[in-house]
């Protein structure tokens, strides 16, 4: 990808540029995951961890809806994650028939370490950009998040800006 990038002339050009950026980010993300070594969590379990980090106490049914997966598949996935010490299931205060899912301390630590590795990879790349390119990137990401608000996300779950996460 040599040379200087030119600004997209149309929405279609911007979509193509965004697609290319996503592919680059996927490569960076995989490098971050690979840096975790043999204890690396599979992508399917990582998606669950992201959901639980954002929506602590979610039940299996809601998790299945968010993931777009069958209840039996979600239950087996959570069984494996519980056996690995990443997730705990607790009885719901609202209903005796439901279980709430939460990340364990080990799960939270893994996610924090993974995010730190990935953030360092991004920081290295962003540091190589010019100040004006960094400013344009920040403005573009803010505009993208604003445009995505409410599109393709379950009701009551607004798009959280890409640069924030829960504490």
């Amino acid at each position: 990808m040599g040379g200087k990038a030119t600004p997209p002339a149309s929405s279609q050009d911007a979509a193509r540029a965004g697609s290319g950026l996503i592919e680059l980010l996927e490569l960076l993300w995989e490098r971050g995951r690979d840096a975790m070594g043999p204890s690396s969590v599979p992508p399917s379990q990582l998606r669950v961890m992201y959901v639980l980090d954002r929506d602590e106490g979610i039940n299996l049914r809601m998790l299945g809806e968010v993931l777009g997966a069958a209840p039996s598949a979600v239950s087996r996935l959570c069984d494996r994650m519980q056996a690995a010490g990443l997730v705990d299931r607790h009885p719901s205060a609202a209903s005796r028939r439901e279980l709430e899912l939460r990340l364990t301390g080990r799960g939270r630590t893994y996610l924090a370490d993974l995010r730190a590795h990935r953030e360092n990879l991004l920081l290295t790349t962003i540091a190589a950009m010019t100040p004006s390119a960094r400013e344009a990137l920040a403005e573009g990401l803010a505009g993208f998040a604003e445009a995505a608000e409410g599109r393709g996300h379950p009701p009551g779950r607004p798009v959280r800006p890409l640069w924030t996460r829960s504490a």
Side-chain angles (χ1 to χ4, degrees), residues 109-134:
T109 298
Y110 179 88
L111 206 51
D113 290 347
L114 176 65
R115 284 176 168 152
H117 282 294
R118 288 177 170 175
E119 191 170 308
N120 285 333
L121 288 169
L122 281 175
L123 284 171
T124 301
T125 302
I126 292 170
M129 296 170 66
T130 64
S132 62
R134 284 193 299 268

Side-chain angles (χ1 to χ4, degrees), residues 57-142:
I58 193 171
N59 64 31
L60 282 170
R61 182 184 54 79
M62 287 298 300
L63 178 60
E65 287 179 21
V66 170
L67 297 175
S72 58
V74 173
S75 184
R76 285 191 305 273
L77 182 60
C78 289
D79 287 345
R80 288 190 300 275
M81 293 180 74
Q82 187 170 12
L86 300 170
V87 170
D88 275 334
R89 299 177 189 195
H90 300 278
S92 169
S95 169
R96 291 187 329 206
R97 296 178 359 183
E98 289 183 8
L99 293 174
E100 295 178 347
L101 301 167
R102 299 183 193 289
L103 288 174
T104 61
R106 180 175 180 206
R108 289 193 185 290
T109 298
Y110 179 88
L111 206 51
D113 290 347
L114 176 65
R115 284 176 168 152
H117 282 294
R118 288 177 170 175
E119 191 170 308
N120 285 333
L121 288 169
L122 281 175
L123 284 171
T124 301
T125 302
I126 292 170
M129 296 170 66
T130 64
S132 62
R134 284 193 299 268
E135 187 176 320
L137 176 64
E139 184 178 333
L141 289 173

